[in-house]
Amino acid sequence: MSTVLSNFATWKHFLAERVSQAKKIGMTDETIVSLAYEIGTFLDEKVDPKNEEERVLKQLWDAGDEAERKTLACLMVKLVEKS
């Protein structure tokens, strides 16, 4: 996981591949966003940001309440789907 997180573009590509795989096996958008929220929670608690983009995301995550964090997770999914 550490090498995937060292570069934000690499992280976005990794996440985009996972989202694509999830859709191919029939996961709903709601399930994918829920998993993105769980990943965000894990990263917030266990992983130090490796670059400026991740530091900004962590600051936004820490500033938000649960609903805002879910929105941020949803936006990350949308971001990588359009990449």
Side-chain angles (χ1 to χ4, degrees), residues 26 57 67 71:
L57 286 172
T71 298

Side-chain angles (χ1 to χ4, degrees), residues 15 19 32-33 36 72-82:
L15 187 56
V19 169
I32 293 168
V33 169
L72 187 56
C74 181
L75 289 170
M76 282 300 298
V77 170
K78 286 183 177 186
L79 174 69
V80 301
E81 285 181 318
K82 296 180 187 272

